[in-house]
Amino acid sequence: MTAPLDPLDADELTWAWPDEPQDREPATDTPTTQFPATWRLLDDVELMALADPDFLIADMIPRRSVGVIYAPSGAGKTTFLAALTTAVAQLPSFYGHSVRHRGASCYVATEDPAGFKVRLRAAKRAAKLPLDAAIGVYTFPEPIDLRDSVSVAGFSRFLQQQSATLPLELVIVDTYAAATPGASENSSEDTTTAMVHAQQWRDRLGVTVILVHHTNAGGSRERGHTAMRGAADFMIAMTPVDDVIHVECSKQRNAAPFERLTLRLTPMPDGDGCILRRADDVIQGETLTPAQTKVLAVLRETFGADGATKTEWQRTCADVNERTFHRAAKVLADRGFIKAYGSHWRDTGKAVQGG
């Protein structure tokens, strides 16, 4: 009787990879094997010696990253960006967040250069900067196709040629949709291609790249394929809520989300444009708009101490449209007039100023 093979006796076994011939020559490593010169292994101590992720705007916008700012139309995106480019060029802080690296910005105006002009003029005036002195905010009024490698590479070379007089920190593309003509926003391939090209700008130019985008129909997230969110280093949502705009971090790859900013679109004193100002006084105030007053009254008077689910409450506010209702409910919760108990919302009894 033949003894069974010892499973550890390699000489008695013939190994083969699936779907490959069994007479395949074994792989050998020779002294001539070459590896890229950059390859190395870092132990944990060496890893800890690496620099931490850097920020362009402290705790808010990472330096040399790719990010997305998204909001519905008319939510103040371009006004916000005009303030951002002005801060990066000349100011010590941006809505309470310190500017860590001063430098120039390039605003790629794929849709409306004149519209950016109005907002930048207001931002410079609000910062008390003279309009006839350049501060390092540049506008590129030509279309760039983020899916076209030739267009992307050409723009990169163009900016590199300006580098002697243009110490860039920031490139903004407004809007992503206009910079991807003919693309399907729901296509993984189209979205991935555009994001890879944005990452090439980040790496080749050493800048932060911001893509300006819109929310989906429900207003809950950015429009299009999730490949955008997967590739982005950070994402910032701007959400109108009654007379204010909430600016919130919806993704921060290497840090904690920054605390929500609440801003209000405010006309300049002479009516020449608008700027965004912090709206702490709005959040702390006790006055309510007519819609908020009506929605709160329904909860108090119809449902009393038991409260109601948001669906029950919204259906009872028959003369308030759904979007206005949800915005009003969010403000009431933010200001402490209502509170959630499980699935039910109840009145906290907080007095309304003038009510």
Side-chain angles (χ1 to χ4, degrees), residues 14-15 17-18 21 55 79 93 96 141 173 181-182 189 232-233 237 255 267 269 277 290 293 306 308 334 341:
T14 301
W15 295 97
W17 293 99
F55 278 81
T79 302
S93 65
V173 179
E189 182 179 359
D233 298 304
R277 293 194 182 278
T293 300
D306 292 333
D334 286 345
Y341 294 86

Side-chain angles (χ1 to χ4, degrees), residues 196-209:
V196 166
H197 285 155
Q199 290 168 343
Q200 289 177 1
W201 284 347
R202 175 196 65 192
D203 299 337
R204 292 174 182 175
L205 298 171
V207 299
T208 296
V209 179

Side-chain angles (χ1 to χ4, degrees), residues 96-306:
H97 294 258
S98 64
V99 177
R100 293 278 180 84
H101 297 275
R102 191 70 57 77
S105 301
C106 179
Y107 178 83
V108 182
T110 59
E111 292 185 338
D112 186 17
F116 183 62
K117 166 194 167 181
V118 172
R119 291 159 176 81
L120 182 59
R121 181 172 62 205
K124 289 185 68 174
R125 292 179 60 207
K128 303 187 185 308
L129 297 171
L131 298 181
D132 59 354
I135 62 172
V137 179
Y138 297 86
T139 301
F140 185 81
E142 302 292 333
I144 293 289
D145 187 344
L146 269 173
R147 292 185 305 147
D148 178 22
S149 59
V150 174
S151 179
V152 168
F155 182 63
S156 181
R157 288 194 300 270
F158 171 76
L159 290 182
Q160 286 172 330
Q161 289 176 3
Q162 319 300 316
S163 61
T165 56
L166 194 67
L168 270 181
E169 282 288 346
L170 183 61
V171 172
I172 298 170
V173 179
D174 190 359
T175 61
Y176 171 80
T180 51
S184 169
E185 289 183 345
N186 292 316
S187 162
S188 172
E189 182 179 359
D190 286 347
T191 305
T192 299
T193 298
M195 295 303 292
V196 166
H197 285 155
Q199 290 168 343
Q200 289 177 1
W201 284 347
R202 175 196 65 192
D203 299 337
R204 292 174 182 175
L205 298 171
V207 299
T208 296
V209 179
I210 294 179
L211 306 177
V212 183
H213 200 26
H214 292 93
T215 52
N216 60 10
S220 59
R221 57 178 292 274
E222 72 282 358
R223 204 167 64 193
H225 198 275
T226 55
M228 171 178 278
R229 178 170 290 270
D233 298 304
F234 69 95
M235 307 214 31
I236 296 175
M238 297 180 65
T239 308
V241 179
D242 287 332
D243 59 345
V244 299
I245 298 167
H246 288 170
V247 179
E248 299 176 277
C249 177
S250 66
K251 178 180 179 179
Q252 189 69 273
R253 189 185 299 279
N254 292 317
F258 60 84
E259 186 176 346
R260 183 178 70 190
L261 295 173
T262 303
L263 309 177
R264 175 189 279 161
L265 197 62
T266 307
M268 294 293 287
D270 57 4
D272 185 17
C274 294
I275 57 173
L276 286 165
R277 293 194 182 278
R278 295 186 74 106
D280 294 341
D281 57 325
V282 175
I283 292 299
Q284 294 170 0
E286 308 301 330
T287 58
L288 298 176
T289 66
Q292 294 161 3
T293 300
K294 182 177 293 187
V295 168
L296 179 60
V298 168
L299 184 66
R300 286 180 171 177
E301 298 169 11
T302 305
F303 299 99
D306 292 333

Side-chain angles (χ1 to χ4, degrees), residues 15-32:
W15 295 97
W17 293 99
D19 303 321
E20 292 190 3
Q22 294 195 10
D23 61 352
R24 176 187 176 190
E25 291 294 327
T28 60
D29 192 11
T30 68
T32 60

